[in-house]
Amino acid sequence: FSLVMNSPGDHRLNPGMGGGALWDAGCYPISFFRAALDAEPLEVCGFQQPGPSGVDMSFAGQLRFPPDVLAQFFCSLGTVTHHEFSIAGTTGRIRLDHPWLHDVGKSATVFVERPGAADGATTVFEQVEPYRCQVEGMAAAVLDEARPTVSVASSRGNVAALEALFESARDGRAVAVT
């Protein structure tokens, strides 16, 4: 998940405001891994490329999930815009061409590919307004006591993985997620 951020005053480039590629863009693939696998990572290894302000402009990482699943990601605020997600296993691959549906007017397609199959299966998801969905979900949780779309436990799990990735990048070693 990457984009070119060249607005010097943007909060995403400000370390005092929690800026950087991992917090801004990397949180999405990490959350996606955790949801798709319905598990928390056991350990992570991360690498970052800092920018002039000190925030990570690019971040690459690997996460190990139980029982023995590896997940890799790359996020950047300084490389050409790219949004794609792919899951490969022993019997095929699933690819999402636009997994976060945040660009107005774009739909997303899920491609399922299996070795030896003549044609893969595809499913198209139409464009939604994700920020409006977030606001409506928050309003429903506060005003109508609806269950939050993302639980506090899930949010904490994502932050724990992100913090472990930063620790790994800083210390140059794999880090257990606690």
Side-chain angles (χ1 to χ4, degrees):
F1 187 178
S2 59
L3 59 134
V4 176
M5 177 56 51
N6 52 14
S7 303
D10 194 286
H11 67 277
R12 290 171 281 201
L13 301 176
N14 184 336
M17 295 184 74
L22 186 60
W23 283 120
D24 186 63
C27 61
Y28 295 101
I30 302 307
S31 178
F32 199 109
F33 293 143
R34 293 174 52 255
L37 296 168
D38 193 25
E40 298 299 331
L42 301 171
E43 70 179 340
V44 300
C45 192
F47 302 90
Q48 65 181 332
Q49 179 186 47
S53 69
V55 302
D56 55 306
M57 289 300 291
S58 294
F59 202 105
Q62 186 161 351
L63 299 86
R64 186 172 62 85
F65 287 87
D68 213 10
V69 176
L70 297 178
Q72 297 176 321
F73 74 96
F74 174 76
C75 59
S76 181
L77 298 178
T79 61
V80 65
T81 298
H82 177 80
H83 311 145
E84 187 175 325
F85 203 88
S86 179
I87 301 169
T90 57
T91 61
R93 181 170 87 120
I94 301 170
R95 184 172 55 86
L96 291 79
D97 67 347
H98 200 73
W100 294 284
L101 288 176
H102 63 287
D103 289 336
V104 174
K106 288 194 177 185
S107 60
T109 305
V110 177
F111 302 90
V112 179
E113 304 162 355
R114 294 186 183 274
D119 291 324
T122 61
T123 303
V124 176
F125 293 87
E126 294 306 317
Q127 169 65 35
V128 296
E129 294 180 39
Y131 299 118
R132 189 182 92 206
C133 293
Q134 289 175 0
V135 170
E136 288 172 352
M138 180 66 171
V142 172
L143 300 175
D144 302 330
E145 298 182 22
R147 181 174 226 153
T149 305
V150 178
S151 70
V152 172
S154 180
S155 296
R156 287 181 176 154
N158 221 49
V159 169
L162 295 171
E163 288 179 339
L165 282 159
F166 276 123
E167 182 181 341
S168 172
R170 182 188 66 236
D171 296 348
R173 62 178 177 81
V175 172
V177 180
T178 56

